Amino acid sequence: MEKMAGKGLGGEVIGFFLAVAFCIICPEYVSSAQRELGKGSPANTSATASPSGSVDNAIRTGAAVADTPRPTPRTGPYFDLVASKNVTALLGKTAYLNCRVKNLGNKTLNMQVSWVRHRDIHLLTVGRYTYTSDQRFRAIHLPHSEDWTLQIKFPQHRDSGIYECQISTTPHMSHYIHLNVVEPTTEIIGGPELYIDRGSTINLTCVVLYSPEPPAYIFWNHNDAIISYDSPRGGVSVVTEKGETTTSFLLIQQARPADSGTYQCNPSNAQSKSIVVHVLNEANSIFPLSGEYPAAMQRGGQAFAPTSATHCLVLAACLFLSLS
C-alpha cells in the first residue's frame, strides 16, 4: 500500500511538471483553446459585436453614398426658369416677355422657338419672324443668344393673359409666362375735401398704387398752378418716398385762408388726383366765441336744452320754501 501511495504521489508530481512544460513549449495551442472556450461566453459575444457592427455600418454608409443620385448633364434643350418669369407691364408702356432656352446649340436649323397667345391660340412668332398682322408684336433674338423675346408695344388690358414659349421638339416643349397689364392709380388720403384750422399745418398725402416701377417725378398743383417750394410765402415742402408704393407728402405750415383751394397730385406714370382744402377762420368754427349755442344739441344720443336763469331762480325759491 505504501508503494502504491508513493507511486500515486509520484505520478501526480510528474503530471504537474509535464503540464507546466507543455504550457511553456506550446503557448499558441493554449491561446487557441481559450478562444474556443470563450465563444460561448455572452461577455465575449458583446465584446466582439462592436467591431463587427462598425464594419457593417461602414459598409452600409458606403452603399448609401453609392446610391445617391448624381446630377447628369442635360443633353437636350430645356428652359431656364430663372430668366423666364412672369411680367407685370405698365399700361401703354412696351412690355418684354423673355424665354431663355438652354442647350439649343446648332439645332435651330431643325428646332424653332415660337410664341403662342393662349387667349385665341394665335401663333405670334416663329424664330426671328413675326406671324401676326398686329404690328405691336415683334420677335427679338440676337445671334448666339439663348434669349427669345416677345416685344409688345403699347400693351392694353386685353393683352393680359398667358403666353406660351414653345420648342419644336417631338413632342414639343412648352413654358408658360403670364403677362399682367396694370394701370397705376393715385389716391390722396382724406379726400375729396379737407377742413383745416387757420394757423395749423396742411399735410396732404398722395399715394401711387399698382405701379411696376416708381414714378420718375410727382408734381403738386394749387388751383392749376405748379407749387413753387421757393416762393416768398415760405413754409412749403415736399417729401417723396419711392418704392413698390410711392408716397408724396405736401406740407404747408401756418395755414391761411389764401391756402384754400384745389390741390392736385400729378405722378409721371399715373392719373392725377385732386382734393379741396378749406382753411377755416374763427368765425367759421363750429362753436363761435359769441356764446350763442344751438337750441338743441345731441350728446350721448339724448337731446337736451339749456336752462335759463329765471327757471333756476324759481326752482331755488321752491326748494327754500319747502325746507322752511
Side-chain angles (χ1 to χ4, degrees), residues 4-323:
M4 294 178 62
K7 290 182 180 180
L9 180 60
E12 290 179 359
V13 172
I14 294 172
F16 172 77
F17 283 107
L18 289 176
V20 172
F22 181 80
C23 293
I24 295 173
I25 297 172
C26 302
E28 294 181 0
Y29 177 83
V30 176
S31 300
S32 62
Q34 290 177 350
R35 287 196 297 267
E36 289 295 328
L37 292 174
K39 288 183 178 180
S41 174
N44 289 339
T45 302
S46 60
T48 56
S50 176
S52 63
S54 61
V55 172
D56 183 62
N57 290 336
I59 295 174
R60 291 183 180 180
T61 304
V65 173
D67 293 340
T68 302
R70 296 181 179 179
T72 56
R74 300 187 182 184
T75 57
Y78 65 94
F79 297 102
D80 185 351
L81 303 182
V82 176
S84 310
K85 296 182 178 180
N86 296 334
V87 176
T88 299
L90 186 63
L91 182 70
K93 187 174 182 179
T94 304
Y96 296 91
L97 278 63
N98 188 61
C99 181
R100 181 170 295 178
V101 180
K102 295 283 190 177
N103 284 352
L104 195 61
N106 296 326
K107 302 182 181 66
T108 52
L109 298 177
N110 300 323
M111 299 183 187
Q112 295 291 343
V113 178
S114 307
W115 281 99
V116 178
R117 183 172 58 197
H118 265 224
R119 174 166 56 87
D120 50 4
I121 317 299
H122 186 74
L123 180 64
L124 300 174
T125 66
V126 176
R128 290 178 293 176
Y129 301 96
T130 304
Y131 284 86
T132 177
S133 58
D134 191 340
Q135 297 182 358
R136 299 181 304 127
F137 293 88
R138 186 168 73 96
I140 300 178
H141 175 69
L142 300 177
H144 310 293
S145 172
E146 298 176 333
D147 295 325
W148 303 81
T149 305
L150 176 65
Q151 181 189 62
I152 307 176
K153 295 182 179 179
F154 311 109
Q156 305 299 314
H157 288 296
R158 59 184 175 86
D159 294 320
S160 297
I162 296 176
Y163 291 79
E164 178 183 353
C165 177
Q166 189 178 105
I167 307 175
S168 60
T169 55
T170 305
H172 68 267
M173 301 172 61
S174 298
H175 175 64
Y176 301 97
I177 294 179
H178 185 269
L179 171 65
N180 185 26
V181 181
V182 298
E183 181 178 6
T185 60
T186 308
E187 297 291 340
I188 297 181
I189 298 176
E193 290 186 305
L194 186 63
Y195 293 87
I196 301 294
D197 290 332
R198 180 175 183 173
S200 60
T201 299
I202 300 175
N203 185 352
L204 302 181
T205 303
C206 178
V207 182
V208 181
L209 304 171
Y210 311 117
S211 176
E213 58 184 14
Y217 57 84
I218 295 179
F219 289 150
W220 284 90
N221 289 8
H222 179 217
N223 294 330
D224 297 330
I226 298 178
I227 295 177
S228 175
Y229 310 121
D230 299 327
S231 64
R233 188 236 185 264
V236 180
S237 60
V238 169
V239 177
T240 301
E241 298 177 354
K242 294 185 178 181
E244 294 183 2
T245 299
T246 299
T247 307
S248 181
F249 303 93
L250 174 63
L251 303 176
I252 302 176
Q253 299 177 1
Q254 297 295 320
R256 59 191 69 172
D259 295 326
S260 299
T262 302
Y263 288 82
Q264 191 176 56
C265 176
N266 301 288
S268 61
N269 61 348
Q271 297 293 329
S272 61
K273 194 71 173 182
S274 300
I275 186 173
V276 178
V277 176
H278 304 275
V279 179
L280 302 177
N281 288 318
E282 292 180 354
N284 301 120
S285 61
I286 298 176
F287 299 107
L289 300 177
S290 59
E292 298 179 357
Y293 294 93
M297 295 182 295
Q298 293 289 331
R299 179 176 295 178
Q302 297 179 351
F304 75 98
T307 304
S308 64
T310 304
H311 292 165
C312 291
L313 291 175
V314 173
L315 292 174
C318 293
L319 181 60
F320 176 77
L321 291 175
S322 61
L323 293 175

